[in-house]
Amino acid sequence: MSHPMVVDTAFRSDERFSQREFFAWLQRRPASDINHYELIRGRIVMTPPAGWPHGSLEMRIGGRILQVVERDGLGVVQGSSAGYDLPSGDTLEPDVSFMSRARFAAGPAPQRGRFVGIVPNLAVEILSRSTARRDRTEKKEIYQQCGVDEYWIVDPERRVVTVFHLEEGRYPTGERVLAGRIPSRVLPQLELTADAIFAD
């Protein structure tokens, strides 16, 4: 007897929330809740934990970026548990993000236990079945609107990284990298290749 393929499911609230209301709602979640929540266009979006190799790719990318950023004193790197209250009214948690030292210093100063109110210079999203459509559309639009200088979409299935650079307030067609160095303008010192990201 064959069984239908199980597909990761994301749920979106019918009710709309402000960033303040979303934060208060999160504080009421039980500690046992391991799901991932973001506020997108006023609605709470729940995503289940990602399957293999999402976490491994996040560590590989974030680790390489952190190494360069700390070596050269460039700013702050965060992982997927870090939330950003963006000026669009959305609260997103990119899988990997980077804020330059200048942007971080310009504030507003982060408050312990709260989401960061700074727009990151770089946001990286790793696709999964439950997030792929949203990462390519809604979240890309939000990052563009808020002025994220560089946005990477990492596709584990196709083993390709698509890099978008903000130009005159918009993301032109992304540069697809299947092999070779990731063309980062935000971190030109970064020697990271697509081959290294998807190394088995």
Side-chain angles (χ1 to χ4, degrees):
M1 177 180 177
S2 63
H3 297 276
M5 181 178 67
V6 177
V7 177
D8 294 334
T9 304
F11 297 96
R12 186 183 297 257
S13 68
D14 292 326
E15 185 180 351
R16 291 186 177 275
F17 294 78
S18 67
Q19 288 174 327
R20 183 188 299 267
E21 291 167 338
F22 174 54
F23 185 81
W25 180 87
L26 285 174
Q27 302 315 296
R28 299 192 296 270
R29 303 302 303 162
S32 59
D33 187 348
I34 61 172
N35 293 304
H36 180 87
Y37 296 95
E38 294 178 299
L39 184 67
I40 299 178
R41 302 309 190 198
R43 301 188 189 279
I44 297 173
V45 178
M46 183 279 286
T47 307
W52 175 266
H54 192 285
S56 179
L57 295 178
E58 178 187 329
M59 293 298 292
R60 191 172 291 161
I61 296 166
R64 295 289 185 89
I65 292 175
L66 180 63
Q67 185 178 39
V68 169
V69 168
E70 288 195 335
R71 181 194 69 198
D72 297 342
L74 300 176
V76 177
V77 179
Q78 300 201 98
S80 60
S81 63
Y84 289 88
D85 272 343
L86 298 173
S88 58
D90 303 282
T91 300
L92 301 185
E93 297 182 3
D95 291 311
V96 180
S97 57
F98 162 71
M99 293 173 282
S100 70
R101 186 171 54 188
R103 189 170 290 190
F104 189 78
Q111 300 177 39
R112 187 172 298 277
R114 309 286 297 194
F115 297 132
V116 176
I118 300 170
V119 175
N121 299 80
L122 168 66
V124 179
E125 296 287 3
I126 302 167
L127 302 185
S128 65
R129 287 177 181 171
S130 60
T131 69
R133 182 188 299 270
R134 196 162 59 252
D135 290 342
R136 289 188 175 114
T137 56
E138 287 178 297
K139 293 180 78 170
K140 180 180 168 220
E141 291 168 3
I142 292 167
Y143 289 140
Q144 174 181 270
Q145 177 185 351
C146 294
V148 174
D149 300 306
E150 192 168 294
Y151 177 40
W152 300 6
I153 295 178
V154 179
D155 187 340
E157 291 292 324
R158 294 179 175 83
R159 299 172 70 91
V160 61
V161 179
T162 305
V163 180
F164 297 91
H165 300 289
L166 195 67
E167 297 178 3
E168 298 182 349
R170 298 194 61 79
Y171 291 139
T173 302
E175 183 173 345
R176 290 167 51 87
V177 183
L178 293 114
R181 189 171 175 272
I182 306 298
S184 178
R185 296 179 190 170
V186 167
L187 293 169
Q189 309 92 327
L190 183 64
E191 295 291 339
L192 178 61
T193 65
D195 312 73
I197 289 174
F198 299 116
D200 294 327

